[in-house]
Amino acid sequence: MGKSIESLEEFYRHKLTNVSEGLRKDNDQFNIFSIEENSINGISSPAYIRRNFYKIMLFKGKNIFHYGDKSIPIEGDTLLFFDPKTPYTYDPVEPGSKGWFCVFKQEFFHTSLRINLSDLPLFSIIDHPLFKLKPGEAKEIQSIFEKIIKTIDKDYIYKYELIKSYVSELIYLAMQLHPSEEVFHHPDASSRITAVFSELLERQFPIESKTQRFELRSPKVIADQLSIHVNSLNRAVKNATGLTTTEHIFEKLTAEAKALLKHTNWNIAEISYVLGFEDQAHFNKFFKKQTNISPSIFRQV
């Protein structure tokens, strides 16, 4: 089954072209990038999935950021926080947008912070962790990012300890600010959520071995993967396709069942297992309800 969470290593390998070789060799838990350089290099907006790392961004420009099932417009200097629990993306970066973002794992701070990053309100979808900065605040935040950039290029044995102190300063400064409360439902939100739902569903197929199993087989489980409420998922899929989330799952499940019955020599108990059913009886009941024929008879036709 394909992954629904992007790792920091995959982020480096597939999304970015300007990762320093020095970082790959001596530290795989932290790096910092220029938004302007990524835009020039044609780096696209991130896929709407979860990551296994944290991100702090200073964005200078106008854009719309999407957290879970919410969309938040920004303009000017904005400080943003992203966490591993919530899928996110943003619209394509407009020409002239500038700023920086750093990425790191919780492990990067294990010996420094006395608290878990996941406990901070900054890394919580509930608090919409976007901060519109006043000129003085923007200048102070920018200076910290510039210190990180200057430090990461140094050949200094304690440079990552120094960087940790700068990132900690970003975090604690932000906790004194008031997050932006301007949230709206983007007209393409249903299409975006539906696209991710479809991708998660499709990634699980085809089933090619008896050790593989169809696990994301309910709207609730998929909604949990996207860190959105199941009602939001169901509403988005219904609005975008006219079919319910369950109807899409059952349609894909039935198609895969037919393929396995016709094109493998697995017995029906094995097929019911890989498709995620508790036992063969449940699979038989499901298949007959969907096709008006039992799995054994379908296989013989």
Side-chain angles (χ1 to χ4, degrees):
M1 182 177 70
K3 288 187 177 182
S4 58
I5 300 178
E6 181 181 53
S7 69
L8 186 56
E9 294 73 21
E10 290 169 331
F11 178 79
Y12 289 155
R13 187 166 60 250
H14 301 302
K15 305 299 182 184
L16 301 170
T17 59
N18 59 340
V19 179
S20 68
E21 287 300 317
L23 174 75
R24 289 176 184 267
K25 293 176 182 177
D26 64 16
N27 193 293
D28 64 352
Q29 295 179 353
F30 182 92
N31 208 345
I32 187 167
F33 304 96
S34 163
I35 292 172
E36 187 175 19
E37 287 182 14
N38 285 332
S39 180
I40 293 173
N41 291 332
I43 304 300
S44 60
S45 300
Y48 185 68
I49 58 174
R50 295 162 62 198
R51 280 85 185 165
N52 76 343
F53 54 89
Y54 294 85
K55 179 190 289 187
I56 303 177
M57 176 184 288
L58 174 59
F59 192 92
K60 296 174 170 288
K62 183 177 182 181
N63 213 322
I64 299 175
F65 284 76
H66 310 286
Y67 286 80
D69 61 344
K70 297 177 176 64
S71 298
I72 307 177
I74 67 169
E75 187 171 1
D77 295 314
T78 308
L79 183 63
L80 307 96
F81 292 81
F82 306 88
D83 71 274
K85 300 186 297 295
T86 308
Y88 64 85
T89 188
Y90 48 83
D91 290 347
V93 176
E94 294 184 353
S97 296
K98 297 181 180 180
W100 302 271
F101 64 89
C102 56
V103 293
F104 52 91
K105 295 181 179 180
Q106 168 73 49
E107 291 83 352
F108 185 62
F109 284 103
H110 270 175
T111 60
S112 300
L113 289 181
R114 295 181 180 179
I115 56 177
N116 289 322
L117 293 175
S118 59
D119 293 334
L120 297 174
L122 296 175
F123 298 107
S124 171
I125 185 62
I126 298 174
D127 293 281
H128 313 309
L130 290 83
F131 303 86
K132 184 173 178 58
L133 302 174
K134 298 175 182 178
E137 295 168 341
K139 185 176 181 181
E140 185 174 14
I141 298 296
Q142 178 172 327
S143 70
I144 298 173
F145 273 94
E146 289 172 344
K147 288 177 184 178
I148 295 173
I149 294 168
K150 185 177 180 180
T151 303
I152 202 169
D153 291 329
K154 288 183 177 180
D155 185 14
Y156 173 47
I157 190 171
Y158 297 115
K159 69 178 181 180
Y160 287 109
E161 295 304 314
L162 185 55
I163 288 172
K164 289 175 189 177
S165 70
Y166 292 143
V167 176
S168 298
E169 187 176 1
L170 281 175
I171 290 172
Y172 289 118
L173 279 174
M175 287 197 292
Q176 301 177 53
L177 303 175
H178 297 288
S180 172
E181 295 183 356
E182 185 177 3
V183 179
F184 76 99
H185 294 286
H186 193 273
D188 292 330
S190 291
S191 297
R192 188 179 67 252
I193 293 173
T194 300
V196 182
F197 159 74
S198 298
E199 183 180 354
L200 288 181
L201 192 57
E202 292 293 336
R203 281 181 183 182
Q204 300 179 88
F205 302 103
I207 292 177
E208 298 175 326
S209 76
K210 296 176 185 178
T211 59
Q212 189 179 347
R213 203 170 192 214
F214 179 36
E215 296 175 339
L216 304 182
R217 61 193 310 275
S218 77
K220 178 64 168 62
V221 172
I222 294 179
D224 288 345
Q225 283 287 314
L226 300 180
S227 297
I228 62 177
H229 195 279
V230 66
N231 291 344
S232 297
L233 173 64
N234 290 336
R235 183 168 52 251
V237 173
K238 181 70 173 180
N239 289 342
T241 69
L243 298 176
T244 67
T245 312
T246 299
E247 285 173 333
H248 281 284
I249 295 172
F250 282 4
E251 182 179 278
K252 189 65 183 177
L253 189 55
T254 303
E256 189 67 14
K258 289 180 177 179
L260 293 174
L261 288 167
K262 286 292 187 182
H263 304 297
T264 72
N265 60 1
W266 303 351
N267 62 48
I268 294 177
E270 290 169 332
I271 292 174
S272 66
Y273 172 80
V274 298
L275 292 177
F277 289 91
E278 295 179 6
D279 52 48
Q280 185 176 332
H282 282 85
F283 171 61
N284 288 343
K285 183 177 180 180
F286 167 83
F287 191 85
K288 189 168 185 178
K289 184 176 181 180
Q290 298 299 313
T291 65
N292 296 317
I293 189 173
S294 69
S296 57
I297 294 177
F298 177 84
R299 173 168 261 176
Q300 297 170 9
V301 175

